[in-house]
């Protein structure tokens, strides 16, 4: 009597995806060749140990054999046909993989380990393809489930692909000679510049002297208590970088919307009161001033993004695209604690901030640009007494010590006037002044830089010039252009917002006022 077979409980073949009807990406012959080569030459594992892990092998038998080889290597024991057989026997897996005879067959199928690294990379690629198929299949299945929360689905999808992409970020070791050539070339380029800067200039002269500009691959943290002017400082820098030095700048604002951010730039650039800009209550000469000065910003290479709750995964994707399409030279994040680490499953908020910090540093290295991240300080500053006590310290960084550890540079914004301190130890006035305290500088000096803070314009300026420091704020004779207030002067009967015609920018055009003749347009 023929044996009755229960087909319903029979396992599917590991080589065929019956549901899809296609063979998953695989390279079984190369898997056998790599395993055989590993048992032929003692140094072969060195070439593939950083590339392959057991799950990269498609066949379960091959995974177990590679695990045995890994074990031997970790114990500094020789790897050959006999030792691998013995290790599998000690693990109770020898019969499962086909016995000693199968191990012998593997070594007989390859002549040498000459191309083992190339073969290993193909196996890795096939593994990545299978993982993409697996993750996509799971996402598709859950997407069809009406009871599955869509937010959870997006988080799981992001997490899975993030982990996969992180595992694929491998960079080989470079011999020092070409790196020296690159370093010398950068020194030569810096020597040819009149300002001697090797990085992206901030536009603040004294700050650039210390930093030599924001350096590529650096993660710079700029921290301060609320109301110190963090956003004003980075927007002033973004304006200088884009307009003075024609550098592409990406600004990720997690705290305020794009329009709010641009309005602050407009106020800073036009020197018009923020309240009047917000309400549109401008008289004729103010509309002219707005139209004239806003031209500088229209084509500026500044790219703003106000995605709320931005994750590290999203930031990486956006920055890569901006680098490819617009060749951005610096990224500004306002601010770090508002980001999240979706996709990385942190155990606590402190661990989450640590993950964000590490990934920002990794992104700076990957894109070869500086990343400037704003950060909040804890309340320790407020509780300390005296002028010195109000100065921020590295220990004041909020939520994680990893920020201090990962950052190449940590700068604090300090305005003594905010705490009622109007003079320094030498008796110099601190009214209207802001200090940039460079507390950590991995590749240079630390120190304090004094800047002028214009609260009504939400901007920082070089104290020696009283303007941004760019040629855009100068007339042909090199003198600062200043627009005096005419709020209390007659305007020839013009009322607010009543112009029939328009100008080049589409703003209202007013009849000429006798006072407008003196405006330096």
């Amino acid at each position: 009597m023929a044996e009755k077979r229960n087909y319903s409980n029979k396992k599917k073949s590991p080589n065929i995806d019956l549901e899809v009807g296609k063979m998953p990406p695989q390279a079984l012959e190369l898997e056998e060749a790599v395993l055989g080569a590993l048992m032929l030459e003692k140094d072969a594992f060195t070439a593939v140990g950083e590339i392959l892990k057991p799950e990269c092998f498609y066949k379960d038998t091959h995974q177990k054999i590679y695990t045995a080889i890994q074990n031997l290597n970790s114990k500094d024991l020789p790897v050959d046909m006999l030792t691998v057989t013995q290790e599998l026997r000690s693990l109770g897996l020898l019969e499962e993989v086909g016995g000693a005879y199968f191990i012998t067959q593997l070594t007989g199928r390859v002549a040498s380990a000459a191309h083992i690294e190339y073969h290993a990379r193909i196996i890795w690629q096939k593994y990545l393809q299978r993982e993409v198929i697996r993750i996509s299949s799971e996402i598709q299945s859950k997407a069809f489930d009406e009871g599955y929360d869509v937010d959870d689905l997006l988080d799981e999808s992001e997490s899975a692909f993030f982990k996969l992409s992180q595992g694929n970020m491998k960079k080989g070791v470079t011999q020092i000679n070409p790196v020296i050539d690159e370093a010398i070339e950068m020194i030569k380029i810096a020597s040819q510049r009149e300002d001697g800067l090797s990085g992206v200039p901030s536009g603040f002269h004294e700050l650039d002297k210390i930093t030599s500009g924001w350096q590529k691959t650096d993660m710079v943290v700029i921290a301060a208590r609320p109301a110190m002017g963090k956003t004003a400082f980075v927007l002033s820098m973004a304006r200088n970088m884009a307009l003075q030095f024609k550098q592409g700048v990406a600004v990720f604002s997690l705290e305020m919307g794009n329009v709010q951010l641009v309005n602050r730039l407009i106020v800073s650039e036009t020197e018009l009161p923020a309240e009047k800009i917000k309400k549109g209550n401008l008289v004729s000469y103010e509309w002219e001033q707005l139209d004239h000065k806003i031209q500088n910003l229209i084509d500026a290479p500044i790219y703003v993004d106000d995605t709320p709750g931005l994750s590290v995964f999203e930031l990486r994707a956006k920055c890569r695209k901006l680098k490819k399409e617009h060749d951005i030279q610096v990224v500004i994040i306002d601010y770090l604690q508002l980001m999240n680490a979706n996709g990385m499953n942190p155990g606590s908020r402190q661990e989450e901030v640590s993950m964000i910090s590490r990934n920002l540093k990794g992104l700076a290295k990957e894109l070869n640009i500086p990343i400037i991240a704003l950060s909040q300080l804890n309340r320790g500053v407020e509780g300390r007494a005296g002028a010195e006590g109000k100065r921020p310290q590295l220990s004041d960084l909020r939520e994680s010590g990893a920020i201090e550890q990962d950052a190449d540079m940590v700068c604090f914004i300090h305005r003594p006037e905010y705490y009622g301190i109007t003079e320094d130890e030498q008796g110099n006035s601190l009214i209207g002044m802001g200090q940039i305290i460079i507390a950590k500088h991995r590749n240079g000096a630390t120190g304090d830089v004094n800047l002028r803070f214009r609260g009504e314009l939400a901007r920082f300026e070089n104290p020696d010039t009283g303007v941004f420091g760019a040629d855009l704020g100068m007339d042909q004779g090199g003198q600062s252009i200043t627009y005096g207030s005419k709020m209390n002067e007659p305007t020839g009967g013009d009322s607010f917002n009543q112009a029939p015609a328009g100008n080049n920018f589409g703003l209202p055009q007013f009849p000429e006022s006798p006072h407008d003749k003196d405006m330096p347009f």
Side-chain angles (χ1 to χ4, degrees), residues 275-286:
E275 194 64 23
K276 299 192 76 173
I277 290 285
K278 184 177 180 180
K279 294 180 178 179
N281 292 340
L282 306 177
V283 293
S284 61
Y285 76 89
E286 289 173 326

Side-chain angles (χ1 to χ4, degrees), residues 261-278:
L261 202 70
V262 171
N263 273 341
R264 292 188 68 162
L265 275 172
I266 291 173
V267 169
S268 178
E269 189 69 19
T270 62
E271 301 185 349
L272 293 170
E275 194 64 23
K276 299 192 76 173
I277 290 285
K278 184 177 180 180

Side-chain angles (χ1 to χ4, degrees), residues 118-290:
Y118 179 74
H119 294 162
R121 294 196 181 280
I122 295 176
I123 294 172
W124 170 256
Q125 291 170 4
K126 299 297 182 184
Y127 164 71
L128 288 179
Q129 289 176 282
R130 293 197 302 273
E131 283 297 285
V132 170
I133 293 171
R134 179 186 64 79
I135 294 170
S136 301
S137 178
E138 291 179 359
I139 294 171
Q140 184 183 39
S141 177
K142 291 176 180 178
F144 276 109
D145 185 352
E146 293 290 342
Y148 207 86
D149 185 78
V150 68
D151 290 330
D152 291 341
L153 178 62
L154 289 173
D155 284 343
E156 288 183 22
S157 306
E158 183 180 289
S159 173
F161 281 112
F162 181 82
K163 288 179 181 177
L164 191 62
S165 64
Q166 283 288 93
N168 193 37
M169 289 176 61
K170 292 179 166 47
K171 189 172 182 180
V173 178
T174 305
Q175 199 270 336
I176 194 171
N177 187 43
V179 182
I180 290 176
D181 291 340
E182 184 179 350
I184 295 297
E185 186 62 29
M186 290 179 64
I187 294 172
K188 289 179 180 178
I189 293 172
S191 69
Q192 294 169 0
R193 295 184 56 164
E194 293 182 5
D195 51 22
L197 302 182
S198 56
V200 180
S202 69
F204 300 123
H205 311 319
E206 294 303 317
L207 181 61
D208 288 337
K209 284 180 182 178
I210 297 177
T211 64
S212 294
W214 305 120
Q215 301 296 309
K216 294 179 179 179
T217 75
D218 274 5
M219 184 180 104
V220 180
V221 172
I222 298 174
R225 288 291 294 152
M228 285 293 115
K230 294 188 297 296
T231 304
F233 178 66
V234 294
L235 283 182
S236 297
M237 281 201 307
R239 180 265 182 204
N240 293 344
M241 294 169 183
L243 298 186
Q244 269 185 266
F245 305 102
K246 310 304 179 185
Q247 304 288 318
V249 183
V251 180
F252 291 89
S253 175
L254 287 80
E255 191 171 29
M256 62 178 67
N258 283 344
V259 175
Q260 289 177 295
L261 202 70
V262 171
N263 273 341
R264 292 188 68 162
L265 275 172
I266 291 173
V267 169
S268 178
E269 189 69 19
T270 62
E271 301 185 349
L272 293 170
E275 194 64 23
K276 299 192 76 173
I277 290 285
K278 184 177 180 180
K279 294 180 178 179
N281 292 340
L282 306 177
V283 293
S284 61
Y285 76 89
E286 289 173 326
W287 281 113
E288 291 281 355
Q289 186 170 327
L290 175 63

